[in-house]
């Protein structure tokens, strides 16, 4: 309901995804409003976006984003860190 109200008033719906059980919850869902959705991650680890074990983005693609037509995703910036900086 909130998505439809947001789309009617602003033309889009923003969804903040923290990962974990929320990814599982969204997994079986194919909303009709996905082409008007903007997905952004919160609490995302600084890892490669394709790291299927740690990356919220990679898990989201596998769980639900691959099924959502036309969705816009704000990907977190990522870069390789030197080992000593990553360990800090």
């Amino acid at each position: 309901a909130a998505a439809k109200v947001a789309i009617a008033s602003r033309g889009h719906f923003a969804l903040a995804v923290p990962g974990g059980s929320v990814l599982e919850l969204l997994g079986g869902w194919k909303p009709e409003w996905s082409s008007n959705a903007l997905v952004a991650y919160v609490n995302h680890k600084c890892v490669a976006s394709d790291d299927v074990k740690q990356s919220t983005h990679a898990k989201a693609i596998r769980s639900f984003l691959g099924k959502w037509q036309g969705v816009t995703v704000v990907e977190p910036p990522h870069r390789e860190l030197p080992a000593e900086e990553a360990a800090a």
Side-chain angles (χ1 to χ4, degrees), residues 41 44-49 55 57 74-81:
Y41 304 112
H44 184 75
K45 297 176 183 141
C46 187
V47 297
S49 290
S55 168
H57 180 62
V74 178
E75 286 191 55
H78 59 276
R79 64 182 177 95
E80 295 294 321
L81 296 175

Side-chain angles (χ1 to χ4, degrees), residues 2-23:
K4 290 180 181 181
V5 170
I7 292 166
S9 66
R10 294 188 300 267
H12 69 278
F13 177 69
L15 181 64
V17 178
S21 61
V22 174
L23 294 175

